[in-house]
Amino acid sequence: MAWEAGFRLFDWGWKFPSATQTFQAFYDGFVHGQLLEATLQSIRRLLLSFLIAITVGTVLGFLFARYRLIDDTIGFLVVALQTIPSIAWLPFAIIWFGMNDFSVIFITTLGATWTMAMSSRTGIKNIPAIYTKAALTLGTGNGFRMFYQIMVPAAFPHMMTGVRVAWAFAWRALVAGELIAKGVGLGQLLQDGRSLGDTALMLCIVIIIAVLGTISDHFCFKRLEDKLLVRYGLAGPTKS
């Protein structure tokens, strides 16, 4: 294997692990449970934060698209907040909530909410006027039925892009928060590996994050996007 050969040929030492060391770290981590527990705890925080971000972001996007005053005031503020890395809010979160799960969940939610809000806003603003006029003619009304029966399906392509980007941003914010805040998680385990000079453990965590991100995007979000596009007539059924 080129990886193992490169390790021995260039004498990387402890600065970068060999393939054998990495596989051994995977084995030890899952056998003794530390990698599995850290992964499960990080996924728990991530899913909770992501659900909050999707809900809040979608509602904000709807309000920005439908009400000019809100878009010109709060919408302008959200654009500004979107440029701030969510990790910059961690010192405030630690002061407000302490070094615990609440701080990590707070900055992870921030990392995804603004992206989702702006994607929802763009999607709803780009809905053809004929859709809403037809819905009003058929008696849908301007309330909640209009939102979930017409606007969400019509804005779905933009919203799904926002969901996928928000998921990636949430992962980044989560790991960054766990690096500093206390508690079991992949970020904290990564910090422990750095403190111990255990590059094999550090690489294991990076691989786990990459694999989880790829699997969730390809087998969850992409498939969901394809099914919903077909469901709402925005794409034809794929041929197997």
Side-chain angles (χ1 to χ4, degrees):
M1 181 184 280
W3 181 2
E4 188 72 25
F7 175 81
R8 299 182 184 279
L9 179 63
F10 296 107
D11 191 23
W12 293 336
W14 64 273
K15 294 182 179 179
F16 195 82
S18 67
T20 303
Q21 291 170 338
T22 304
F23 293 143
Q24 185 63 45
F26 266 119
Y27 177 79
D28 293 340
F30 281 107
V31 167
H32 297 298
Q34 61 175 356
L35 274 178
L36 181 60
E37 183 182 5
T39 301
L40 293 176
Q41 290 295 328
S42 289
I43 291 176
R44 177 185 64 81
R45 296 187 188 104
L46 180 68
L47 290 177
L48 178 59
S49 303
F50 189 64
L51 288 174
I52 296 172
I54 294 301
T55 302
V56 175
T58 302
V59 172
L60 285 175
F62 170 76
L63 294 175
F64 297 158
R66 296 291 288 175
Y67 302 102
R68 179 69 179 271
L69 178 62
I70 296 177
D71 191 28
D72 290 342
T73 54
I74 301 176
F76 180 80
L77 179 62
V78 167
V79 172
L81 291 173
Q82 193 177 20
T83 64
I84 303 173
S86 57
I87 191 63
W89 294 102
L90 184 58
F92 289 97
I94 291 174
I95 292 173
W96 296 336
F97 309 117
M99 295 185 66
N100 51 40
D101 270 11
F102 288 108
S103 296
V104 178
I105 291 171
F106 176 75
I107 66 163
T108 305
T109 302
L110 286 183
T113 298
W114 312 136
T115 298
M116 192 63 215
M118 300 314 296
S119 296
S120 300
R121 173 188 177 276
T122 302
I124 294 173
K125 272 186 170 291
N126 288 331
I127 296 175
I130 189 66
Y131 289 6
T132 55
K133 290 179 180 178
L136 289 172
T137 301
L138 294 172
T140 301
N142 276 317
F144 185 67
R145 287 184 62 196
M146 173 70 80
F147 173 68
Y148 80 88
Q149 288 185 346
I150 306 301
M151 291 186 172
V152 170
F156 185 77
H158 285 283
M159 291 178 64
M160 198 62 214
T161 300
V163 167
R164 296 171 78 169
V165 175
W167 178 256
F169 281 9
W171 260 116
R172 297 173 188 177
L174 174 75
V175 175
E178 288 181 344
L179 279 168
I180 301 172
K182 293 181 179 179
V184 178
L186 291 174
Q188 186 61 49
L189 201 58
L190 186 64
Q191 178 75 340
D192 293 342
R194 184 203 65 80
S195 300
L196 297 172
D198 189 349
T199 53
L201 176 60
M202 294 164 60
L203 185 58
C204 285
I205 296 167
V206 171
I207 293 172
I208 288 172
I209 294 171
V211 169
L212 288 176
T214 302
I215 290 175
S216 59
D217 184 77
H218 184 76
F219 291 102
C220 180
F221 298 128
K222 188 175 185 300
R223 291 192 177 186
L224 177 63
E225 180 180 21
D226 293 341
K227 287 182 179 180
L228 289 178
L229 287 175
V230 172
R231 167 67 177 80
Y232 292 115
L234 299 173
T238 56
K239 297 181 180 179
S240 54

